[in-house]
Amino acid sequence: MSTEDVWQRGTCDSGRPVTIVAMDSSSTRRQATRQKLYEAAVTLIAEQGFSATTVDEIAERAGVAKGTVYYNFKSKTELFEELLRHGVGLLASSLRTAADTTAERGGSKIEALDAMIGAGLVFIDRYPAFTQLYVAELWRTNRAWQSTLLVVRQEAVAVVESVLREAVEGGELSDEIDVPLTAAALVGMVLVAALDWQAFQPERSMDDVHAALSRLLHGRVGGR
Amino acid sequence: MSTEDVWQRGTCDSGRPVTIVAMDSSSTRRQATRQKLYEAAVTLIAEQGFSATTVDEIAERAGVAKGTVYYNFKSKTELFEELLRHGVGLLASSLRTAADTTAERGGSKIEALDAMIGAGLVFIDRYPAFTQLYVAELWRTNRAWQSTLLVVRQEAVAVVESVLREAVEGGELSDEIDVPLTAAALVGMVLVAALDWQAFQPERSMDDVHAALSRLLHGRVGGR
DNA sequence: GCTTTTGCACTGACCAGTCAGTACAAAAGG
DNA sequence: CCTTTTGTACTGACTGGTCAGTGCAAAAGC
């Protein structure tokens, strides 16, 4: 975290507000506040779910007054939706980078998929709370943010689909494989294995997990 | 949904579900009420999440008075926990049956795994709401039913692990594979692919999905 | 004649969202 | 200079509503 504002809060009803310290330029402050709110919200919602998490909790964890939440976001739901957009953006671009880097090195598409598994694991390791939250909310029907999630899912899965498609076109994979279903299965494999690793087998290393998933991808499990 | 299910309740030590068809006349009525409540709760909670679902809603959907909910269950949480136990019992025994049937026919362990994928898909197709709910709650930390879930997850994953282990012992699979991680990855693959199928690609047939997953299991995606 | 269910009124905690007010920097004005 | 105004960011007590869980008398099953 970057901003070094050393300021103190007073109480509203009695204590003299003892504030202080200047802000550099204008809107940097707001950005920092939003970031704090994102960070507080993501862990709380991942732990407890959206409805079970109160705005008061989010504000408290962020070290901010409740009113500030509503100054920065229209509603609790809007805060959550922006969180989703923000997080999936990070994931998708991290997957894309992994694929592109492999391509630049002249690697095969299968290698690119392997690299994406690695990138996925790094992401989940870094933002476990976000991943948890994403998985928990993705398949809920009837929610307000359903449309946001649909878009956001497509952004992530599309990256995998495009690499699979290129692999088929390049003759690297049989054209019998079902691109959308296989992409979903691969993403699910990584997501669930990683969450399970963190929740139930935390003693394993990321390399262990990557190796196990690679083996599945390369067909060394059920192998012919 | 069929109300005439054969009732199963897990016993603690044996791990083997005991079938309860009908205890005594008075209990049957109670069981029917409980079943109605499970069915109402599972869809509502899958759609909205645990906290967002009210007891009044559950009672109304079940066509039962609110007091009845509390006559049959200590609390909303307890209702939910028993729902989880009940559902995972069904899943685990369905997986076990698939594996056993394959074994009886003299099939290989890989074939057993394939059959379990099929059984998993049938289960998800029949109880999509339960699956949704399970995935959404499984990796949450800090929840009251955390310990219930841990037990319940183990029951399902253990079935897959045991088949993998037998396959390794029988020389069908390399002993280099990591049994717990691979089991988690396989379960995740099926779970997520199936949910994705239902939510985002409902036009596909179950056979399509099974074929795509089989291909991954048999290594016909990343080839060698 | 038990167990189970109903219907309904009630309570107390909890919570999303509001609003009047504070803090403070920078600009405007004198 | 100093003082007044303006804009932005934030504060926290408060409100109106919601909901888990209770209590109980009467009815319905078995």
Side-chain angles (χ1 to χ4, degrees):
Chain A
M1 224 163 291
S2 53
T3 354
E4 298 294 332
D5 24 348
V6 189
W7 64 315
Q8 318 195 316
R9 286 195 315 281
T11 55
C12 233
D13 52 330
S14 58
R16 244 347 45 151
V18 201
T19 344
I20 317 336
V21 156
M23 225 46 229
D24 41 331
S25 44
S26 54
S27 205
T28 320
R29 183 156 164 226
R30 205 168 176 194
Q31 277 288 336
T33 305
R34 283 182 175 225
Q35 183 65 31
K36 278 194 289 183
L37 284 170
Y38 282 150
E39 276 161 23
V42 81
T43 49
L44 284 167
I45 296 178
E47 278 165 12
Q48 311 178 320
F50 176 80
S51 318
T53 301
T54 68
V55 174
D56 290 270
E57 278 177 310
I58 295 173
E60 196 194 335
R61 168 98 48 119
V64 134
K66 188 178 190 176
T68 305
V69 177
Y70 287 93
Y71 182 77
N72 282 281
F73 299 94
K74 202 172 93 269
S75 64
K76 185 183 169 188
T77 303
E78 206 213 51
L79 163 56
F80 181 59
E81 287 188 276
E82 275 186 33
L83 192 59
L84 281 175
R85 274 189 279 266
H86 184 240
V88 171
L90 287 180
L91 172 60
S93 76
S94 144
L95 291 180
R96 220 173 280 122
T97 303
D100 291 350
T101 307
T102 310
E104 275 162 30
R105 285 212 204 94
S108 69
K109 294 302 172 190
I110 301 289
E111 281 169 333
L113 284 173
D114 206 315
M116 286 163 79
I117 290 178
L121 288 177
V122 169
F123 180 88
I124 295 170
D125 191 40
R126 182 123 141 221
Y127 309 106
F130 178 81
T131 312
Q132 236 167 285
L133 174 165
Y134 175 75
V135 169
E137 300 294 337
L138 184 57
W139 296 283
R140 282 211 200 302
T141 44
N142 264 3
R143 308 306 291 121
W145 51 79
Q146 196 57 27
S147 56
T148 303
L149 268 171
L150 210 140
V151 172
V152 132
R153 178 204 93 106
Q154 202 44 44
E155 196 179 334
V157 175
V159 186
V160 179
E161 285 188 2
S162 69
V163 173
L164 280 175
R165 209 166 280 119
E166 286 161 23
V168 170
E169 277 160 17
E172 236 181 280
L173 291 182
S174 153
D175 61 0
E176 272 174 25
I177 77 157
D178 189 311
V179 171
L181 287 177
T182 306
L186 285 173
V187 170
M189 185 183 92
V190 176
L191 238 46
V192 173
L195 285 174
D196 227 81
W197 154 45
Q198 303 216 329
F200 303 114
Q201 316 180 43
E203 70 282 4
R204 318 305 303 272
S205 73
M206 192 192 296
D207 286 341
D208 281 352
V209 182
H210 193 161
L213 295 178
S214 266
R215 223 164 245 136
L216 262 169
L217 174 67
H218 288 107
R220 259 171 276 137
V221 167
R224 239 157 296 221
Chain B
M1 213 180 262
S2 77
T3 22
E4 293 302 307
D5 276 339
V6 173
W7 269 79
Q8 308 198 311
R9 220 196 282 132
T11 61
C12 340
D13 25 6
S14 73
R16 193 81 197 177
V18 175
T19 311
I20 300 165
V21 179
M23 298 184 70
D24 46 299
S25 44
S26 55
S27 248
T28 312
R29 186 163 156 230
R30 212 174 168 191
Q31 293 291 358
T33 305
R34 284 184 173 223
Q35 180 66 31
K36 279 194 288 182
L37 284 169
Y38 283 150
E39 277 163 21
V42 79
T43 49
L44 286 168
I45 296 179
E47 278 165 14
Q48 309 177 323
F50 176 80
S51 326
T53 301
T54 69
V55 174
D56 290 272
E57 276 177 311
I58 295 173
E60 196 195 334
R61 168 97 50 119
V64 135
K66 187 180 183 177
T68 305
V69 177
Y70 286 94
Y71 183 79
N72 282 280
F73 299 94
K74 205 172 89 268
S75 65
K76 183 184 170 189
T77 302
E78 207 212 51
L79 163 57
F80 182 59
E81 287 188 275
E82 280 191 26
L83 191 59
L84 282 174
R85 275 190 277 266
H86 179 241
V88 171
L90 287 180
L91 172 61
S93 77
S94 144
L95 291 180
R96 220 175 281 123
T97 302
D100 291 350
T101 306
T102 311
E104 276 161 30
R105 286 212 204 95
S108 68
K109 295 301 172 191
I110 300 289
E111 281 168 330
L113 284 173
D114 206 315
M116 287 163 78
I117 290 178
L121 288 176
V122 169
F123 180 88
I124 296 170
D125 191 39
R126 181 124 140 221
Y127 309 107
F130 177 81
T131 312
Q132 237 168 284
L133 176 164
Y134 175 75
V135 168
E137 299 294 337
L138 184 59
W139 297 282
R140 285 211 198 301
T141 45
N142 264 1
R143 306 308 286 125
W145 50 79
Q146 193 58 26
S147 55
T148 303
L149 267 170
L150 209 139
V151 172
V152 131
R153 178 204 92 106
Q154 202 45 45
E155 196 180 334
V157 175
V159 186
V160 179
E161 284 187 2
S162 68
V163 173
L164 280 175
R165 207 165 282 120
E166 287 161 22
V168 170
E169 277 160 17
E172 241 182 277
L173 290 183
S174 154
D175 61 359
E176 272 175 22
I177 77 157
D178 188 312
V179 171
L181 286 177
T182 306
L186 284 174
V187 171
M189 185 182 92
V190 177
L191 238 46
V192 173
L195 286 175
D196 226 81
W197 155 44
Q198 303 217 329
F200 303 114
Q201 316 180 45
E203 71 283 2
R204 316 305 303 271
S205 73
M206 191 191 296
D207 286 340
D208 281 353
V209 182
H210 193 160
L213 294 178
S214 266
R215 223 164 244 135
L216 261 169
L217 173 68
H218 287 107
R220 260 170 274 139
V221 167
R224 230 159 284 232

